[in-house]
Each structure stands twice: as structure tokens, then as C-alpha cells.
Amino acid sequence: MHPFRKAVEAMDHAAVEALLAEDVVFTSPVAFRPYPGKAITAAILRAVMRVFSDFRYVREIASADGRDHALVFTAKVGDMEINGCDFLHMDEEGKIDDFMVMVRPLSAAQALSAAMGAQFDRVKAEAFGGAEASAGSAGTPADGER
């Protein structure tokens, strides 16, 4: 079992964050631009853990060299069923340096977008503190960016 999967299933936020490289890039299924950096990625992942219910990984696929992983999951956003996949790339130190999420169906992706949008002020505050969060430095996913 991949250490990231183990940490998520244990709801261990500190372990999840420890697995992220400082220069990790998170590509959201509902935002146009990727989010660079460990602080914002960790804050987004904490928010996702608040938004999803009945989350479980159902399959794990790894490349032969062990640096690429696909973790297939199911969850609920409100009463909507969602299926998705976390695509992870590990750097030479074994840290996640690229993290991309894909989800389906569209109706569940839209529910996820709305739920995460409601979390985004908190996400920015957790990642950057009050001053930068107020200034919008993390870039809340606007409708034109989804």
C-alpha cells in the first residue's frame, strides 16, 4: 500500500503533508490553473477530507519504477456519488512532486467545485495566513477558471 493512501485512509493530515515535496504542483479537477507549493496543496487536501464522506480507495496502480501511482477512489459529496483518481509522481527523494486529480461524473464534479469553493477562504488562510488570504494570493477558483 502506498504511504499516501495509508495516510489518507488514517485521516493523518501530518503524514499526508510530510509526503509532499516543497515544490509539489497540485492540479485540481475543478480549477483551471494548478496550485504550486506544499502549503496550498496540504490545505486543499485537508479541505477535501472535510468535503468528502464515505471516501475509500478501491484500486492502486504503480509504474514499474515506483515513481508514478494512480489511486482510484469513490466518495460522496453531499448525497452525490463521485469516482476519481489521484495521480501521484514521486521525486527522487520519494516525495510527491506532482499531484493531479480527475473525477466523474460531471454532476458530482460540479458538486465538488461548489463544496470546495465554500472552503476556499479557509484553505487560503491555512496556507498563507490572514493577510495573504484576504488579498486572494492563492487564487480562489473563479467560474471562468473551472
Side-chain angles (χ1 to χ4, degrees), residues 43-108:
I44 289 169
L45 294 174
R46 286 190 297 273
V48 169
M49 289 179 172
R50 291 189 297 268
V51 165
F52 280 157
S53 63
D54 298 333
F55 181 90
R56 65 187 178 94
Y57 284 112
V58 295
R59 186 175 309 132
E60 185 173 332
I61 304 162
S63 64
D65 67 2
R67 292 189 62 187
D68 290 288
H69 297 268
L71 304 175
V72 181
F73 64 85
T74 64
K76 285 187 176 180
V77 178
D79 62 355
M80 304 277 306
E81 296 278 339
I82 194 165
N83 304 106
C85 190
D86 293 336
F87 294 96
L88 311 176
H89 180 268
M90 316 305 282
D91 66 14
E92 292 183 8
E93 296 175 9
K95 301 280 187 172
I96 300 167
D97 64 356
D98 188 62
F99 191 128
M100 180 174 61
V101 181
M102 303 288 248
V103 296
R104 65 156 306 280
L106 178 59
S107 57

